[in-house]
Amino acid sequence: MLLSQYIGEAGRPQVVAREGSEAYEVKSDASLYELAMEAAGTGTSIRDHILALGLNGAVDLEDLQSQGRLLPPLTHPDPAHLHLTGTGLTHLGSASTRASMHSKKPEDETDSMRMFRMGVEGGKPGNGAAGVQPEWFYKGTGHALVPPGGPLKSPTFALDGGEEPEIAGLYVIGRDGMPVRVGFALANEFSDHVTERQNYLYLAHSKLRPCAVGPELLVGELPDSIEGTSRIRRGEEVIFEKSFLSGEANMSHSIRNLEHHHFKYDLFRQPGDVHVHMFGTATLSFADGVSAEDGDIFEIEAGPFGLPLRNPLARPQAETREPLTDIRVL
């Protein structure tokens, strides 16, 4: 089952479900967040909960997408209670891309390569044990979450704005403080790779950017191997196109291990919160020497996730970066 949301006539989210080619409105005025919290509270799967509510008439998701009415598949009524985070160096092949950005000599073994090796050796533990912890980063709150089709706005101080095609896990925290995975979705973990390349310690700065998730959320387990395509369109031309692989068969960490190391922190188990946690990538147009321009459209697609995720880049027009105005003192 694939789930999505669009802005209904009353201005509220309307949940849509589909299995196969046809998409139908769910017979409920509740958002997917509200439905997920209800299901978490009763121990019911989100699929069973939605089927119990029933489905209304068919909707045209592609038409809604063209109208700009699609929402991220999971949101929170208070964006401050939605957390955008992720892990890096989790995919086989991701280390070479990152290491090339930070090594001074080809023979140097960077911190990136060392962390990648740690993941290969201990990222998929057996017997339910915790494995080695991955690289982890913070992107922001729900204020940084962009809907499908919405612009990914690069700040005036940014040195670059580039895509990162990823799979994200979407979660609610139950009233008992336990994380509940609602499903998986495509994500564009938009980052500033030029800033990151200056110094690895700038990684945290480079990640504080908007990101996009959706349009559809895949309910159930993640397929073991996923093949998708990442593109950049400039007008009528495709200036970049490359396949990417995800799923545990192509990763150095298990999803279970990545989830453990995120939710082991009490901070991330606050009842009612939403988490969008991105699982990393090995494919970047930046690594192939592509520099996206204002108006370019990032497009990420993979078969199990339904509609592609498309977002234009919006770069600032100002040529200079003005310093922050003086902070007011109370």
Side-chain angles (χ1 to χ4, degrees):
M1 178 178 280
L2 290 165
L3 301 176
S4 55
Q5 296 186 121
Y6 73 92
I7 301 173
E9 298 299 332
R12 284 181 50 82
Q14 171 62 55
V15 179
V16 174
R18 71 177 175 118
E19 292 181 313
S21 59
E22 293 297 322
Y24 299 91
E25 291 183 349
V26 176
K27 289 183 180 178
S28 174
D29 293 331
S31 67
L32 185 52
Y33 169 74
E34 293 166 326
L35 296 180
M37 290 299 293
E38 290 171 4
T42 60
T44 307
S45 74
I46 188 67
R47 181 179 182 274
D48 287 347
H49 187 49
I50 283 174
L51 291 178
L53 290 169
L55 303 176
N56 278 323
V59 295
D60 187 336
L61 286 177
E62 292 188 359
D63 183 55
L64 291 169
Q65 186 179 46
S66 68
Q67 296 178 44
R69 294 174 62 187
L70 292 182
L71 295 167
L74 184 62
T75 55
H76 194 287
D78 180 356
H81 285 276
L82 187 152
H83 305 278
L84 299 168
T85 57
T87 57
L89 299 170
T90 54
H91 283 65
L92 303 174
S94 60
S96 58
T97 299
R98 181 75 69 80
S100 67
M101 292 168 60
H102 299 291
S103 62
K104 296 179 181 178
K105 301 175 184 176
E107 64 271 19
D108 287 346
E109 181 172 69
T110 63
D111 286 340
S112 295
M113 185 61 73
R114 283 190 286 272
M115 180 161 282
F116 173 75
R117 293 189 194 281
M118 290 168 62
V120 170
E121 294 167 4
K124 293 182 176 179
N127 302 320
V132 65
Q133 62 186 357
E135 176 193 38
W136 181 95
F137 58 84
Y138 177 73
K139 285 197 70 68
T141 66
H143 294 286
L145 182 59
V146 175
L152 289 164
K153 297 180 180 179
S154 193
T156 57
F157 54 79
L159 302 179
D160 173 56
E163 88 298 339
E164 293 200 16
E166 307 199 13
I167 306 300
L170 289 82
Y171 309 83
V172 295
I173 309 300
R175 300 303 176 192
D176 58 357
M178 292 300 294
V180 179
R181 188 200 305 138
V182 184
F184 299 94
L186 295 174
N188 186 340
E189 197 271 289
F190 183 68
S191 299
D192 184 339
H193 301 107
V194 173
T195 291
E196 179 191 346
R197 187 174 60 182
Q198 288 182 329
N199 189 303
Y200 186 74
L201 297 180
Y202 281 161
L203 177 70
H205 287 282
S206 75
K207 296 296 187 183
L208 290 173
R209 300 291 186 273
C211 71
V213 177
E216 298 183 81
L217 177 149
L218 176 66
V219 170
E221 294 301 319
L222 189 69
D224 193 49
S225 183
I226 298 163
E227 182 171 355
T229 304
S230 179
R231 301 183 187 87
I232 300 179
R233 298 183 183 273
R234 182 171 295 164
E236 299 298 318
E237 183 183 1
V238 176
I239 65 165
F240 171 82
E241 179 172 296
K242 195 169 186 176
S243 63
F244 67 90
L245 296 172
S246 194
E248 287 192 4
N250 305 296
M251 296 172 67
S252 54
H253 287 259
S254 66
I255 297 297
R256 181 188 178 95
N257 193 50
L258 299 179
E259 291 174 334
H260 163 75
H261 284 294
H262 178 69
F263 290 113
K264 68 184 180 183
Y265 296 102
D266 290 345
L267 175 65
F268 296 145
R269 298 198 306 273
Q270 301 301 308
D273 279 3
V274 169
H275 288 256
V276 177
H277 192 57
M278 287 156 273
F279 296 126
T281 189
T283 302
L284 307 173
S285 64
F286 177 80
D288 286 2
V290 176
S291 179
E293 298 179 358
D294 184 60
D296 287 353
I297 296 176
F298 301 116
E299 182 177 274
I300 300 168
E301 66 175 343
F305 296 94
L307 293 179
L309 175 62
R310 300 187 184 101
N311 296 89
L313 171 62
R315 301 202 70 168
Q317 299 302 311
E319 294 295 327
T320 59
R321 302 183 194 93
E322 297 296 333
L324 186 68
T325 56
D326 290 340
I327 300 298
R328 181 183 173 202
V329 178
L330 295 179

